[in-house]
Every structure is written in structure tokens, then in C-alpha cells.
Amino acid sequence: MNIKQASKQSGVSAPNIRFYEKEGLLNPARLPGNDYRDYTEQDIRTLRFIRMLRMLDVPLPVIRSVLAGDASLGSVLREQKTALEQRAKQLEGAARFCAELARQDPSVASLDVDACLSRMEDPAQPQNFFCGWVQDYRTLAQVQHQRHFSFIPEGSINTPQEFTAALQTYAKANGMQLSLTKEGMYPEFSLDGILYKAYRNPGKYRDEICCDAASPEQLNTGLPSRRERQLQVLRILLPAAFTFAAILAAGWVATGGADWLWLAALAAAGVLLGRGFEHRL
């Protein structure tokens, strides 16, 4: 069969077939008289085999060694599996860094390129276990805050105009860009490009304004799902652990013993229940 037929049956383009021949991966027979290539079924199988290994990103020199019998397919696949796993870790780190930069939404002029390159080129950074967890925890906390946040305005909120003024004051105090799309007691607006809906939570002494992202599913951390679940659990447990430690330490200083252990445990349990309830909401 000719090269056009071979390309159709193997799924390999004609230029690539010629390239593989040039690289010594394929050596089709030639027709007597006109010297045209004559591809056999075995050649088609070889082309499909090359195509399969290239889809696994196996380098051409390694494929050549396999076809020549100088390397076993099993050993090559095991080595490639290790290489792909290492690359996946690098890509995972790159994806997380991209997500972090995207959340900051920098401009070309404001981006600290040198700092970015230092982080990306530092081979020790991915191995820094503690700093990695701290950075991921900060990322999770930032995204959670973007999905839902609340604040206490100055004075009560009784009119749409007062609601708008409170949002403007909050945005200005935090250096954020506010764009109001719907005024009212349930206003809709954007902060730094993120769309929100807000409502007033009346209190006995002060009102609270609660803001929910209109599309929270679009605000993702860029972290692996397992890592994010672990950090969410940690975010619930940490305040309770710190509360327990603080009360126990205060009791030890005050009485010289562990007499406040029950109070520390009770307070920590209360904080834990509160954080768990808040997470469920």
C-alpha cells in the first residue's frame, strides 16, 4: 500500500511517516521499477506502536531502542511512568502557582517578575513541607473569604442608599474596586471583578453585611482535591486547638497546675462545634 493508505490505516500523518523513516524507526519495502514505498500490515502495526508510545511521550531514541530489541518494552514503560509522575508533580505546582497569580490579577507592569522567577527556579521550595502547607492554607483561606465574607458597617443600614455607602466604604478601606450593578436592600455588585450578592443581618446593637459570591464554584484554589479537604479539616480544628492551648496555658500560669483542663476542653469543644456549623452553612 502507498503512504496515503498507510497514513489512513495507522492514524499517522504522511510527513510523520517520512520523519520516522528518516529516524530509522521504519524501513518499508520499495516497489521494483519505480522505487515507490510499499507498506505492509507489519509496517502499519509498527506505525501504530510508535504512535501509542509517542502518546505516552516516550522519546524517539527510546522507541528506536525498543524496536531494535536493545531495550525491553516493560522496562521502558516503567521508566516512563516514573518520568510522567515527576512531570505531573511539576505541572501540579505550576498549576497552583498560576491559580495564585490569577487570583492576584496582576498587570504586566505591577507583576514582580523577579520574585516569581525566584520561586519557580528554587528547587528547594517544593520540598519545603511546612512552608508548602502554610502557603496552601493561606490560599484556601483567601478563596474561602472570596466566596463569602461579612463586615460590620458604621451605623445601621435602613435604606438602599445606606447599604451602597457601606459597601463603598468597605471597598475603599480595603483598596478594592467596587462596581454596583443593582442597588437595594439585596444589592448586587462586583469587587475586583468578582460578582457578589449581599444582604443585611440585623443585630441587637450593630447590623452585619454578609456578601456571597454569585458563582462560588468558579473561585477555586487550584489545589488537589485531597489536599483541599485536608486543609478544610485543619481550618476547622486549628482555632479549637489554639483555644485549648491558650486557656490551659493561662490556667497553668494562674494556678500552677492543670485545674483549668476541663474549661479549656469545654471552650475548645464550643469553638470546634461553631466552626463545624459554620462550615456546613
Side-chain angles (χ1 to χ4, degrees):
M1 67 184 77
N2 59 33
I3 193 170
K4 183 177 180 180
Q5 294 169 325
S7 174
K8 184 177 180 180
Q9 291 196 27
S10 65
V12 180
S13 67
N16 277 347
I17 292 177
R18 296 190 183 95
F19 177 72
Y20 294 153
E21 292 176 18
K22 182 180 178 181
E23 291 296 315
L25 277 69
L26 191 68
N27 188 25
R30 299 280 180 164
L31 291 173
N34 55 21
D35 203 34
Y36 288 166
R37 296 174 178 84
D38 184 20
Y39 297 93
T40 64
E41 291 298 332
Q42 182 59 42
D43 292 330
I44 299 303
R45 186 182 185 281
T46 300
L47 285 170
R48 289 173 177 166
F49 179 74
I50 295 171
R51 178 185 168 201
M52 181 197 76
L53 292 184
R54 289 301 295 144
M55 290 176 71
L56 295 174
D57 211 22
V58 178
L60 287 180
V62 177
I63 297 177
R64 186 187 301 113
S65 298
V66 172
L67 292 173
D70 298 331
S72 70
L73 179 60
S75 63
V76 165
L77 291 174
R78 285 189 290 270
E79 291 175 2
Q80 186 65 9
K81 173 180 176 292
T82 301
L84 290 173
E85 288 173 345
Q86 293 175 346
R87 194 176 307 166
K89 291 181 180 178
Q90 294 173 347
L91 291 174
E92 179 182 304
R96 287 161 55 188
F97 191 48
C98 280
E100 180 183 337
L101 288 179
R103 283 191 299 273
Q104 297 173 8
D105 195 21
S107 66
V108 174
S110 65
L111 179 65
D112 190 341
V113 179
D114 292 335
C116 291
L117 287 174
S118 296
R119 285 185 58 184
M120 296 169 70
E121 294 172 350
D122 184 4
Q125 185 166 345
Q127 302 170 5
N128 192 330
F129 178 83
F130 180 73
C131 288
W133 275 88
V134 170
Q135 182 61 43
D136 289 349
Y137 185 88
R138 288 174 178 170
T139 298
L140 177 68
Q142 180 184 7
V143 172
Q144 294 282 31
H145 181 75
Q146 288 177 332
R147 290 172 180 168
H148 171 81
F149 67 91
S150 60
F151 64 94
I152 305 296
E154 291 292 336
S156 59
I157 305 298
N158 298 308
T159 66
Q161 292 73 26
E162 290 175 344
F163 212 138
T164 299
L167 292 173
Q168 291 172 339
T169 300
Y170 176 85
K172 183 177 180 181
N174 290 274
M176 306 174 78
Q177 185 67 38
L178 172 73
S179 177
L180 191 69
T181 56
K182 178 185 175 183
E183 192 174 45
M185 297 306 289
Y186 296 91
E188 297 177 7
F189 59 95
S190 68
L191 274 178
D192 288 347
I194 302 175
L195 297 176
Y196 287 95
K197 297 179 180 179
Y199 61 92
R200 180 190 61 160
N201 187 16
K204 186 175 181 180
Y205 300 105
R206 301 285 294 275
D207 290 341
E208 179 186 31
I209 292 179
C210 300
C211 305
D212 295 319
S215 302
E217 69 281 354
Q218 295 179 1
L219 300 171
N220 58 75
T221 62
L223 301 173
S225 56
R226 182 180 178 184
R227 179 86 154 205
E228 185 168 347
R229 287 195 299 269
Q230 291 171 338
L231 288 169
Q232 285 173 344
V233 172
L234 190 63
R235 196 161 184 256
I236 293 174
L237 294 178
L238 274 181
F242 288 148
T243 300
F244 178 84
I247 295 178
L248 191 61
W252 189 275
V253 171
T255 64
D259 298 338
W260 287 16
L261 180 61
W262 65 271
L263 180 60
L266 186 63
V271 171
L272 185 60
L273 286 173
R275 290 307 299 269
F277 183 69
E278 175 186 337
H279 180 72
R280 286 295 180 183
L281 291 178

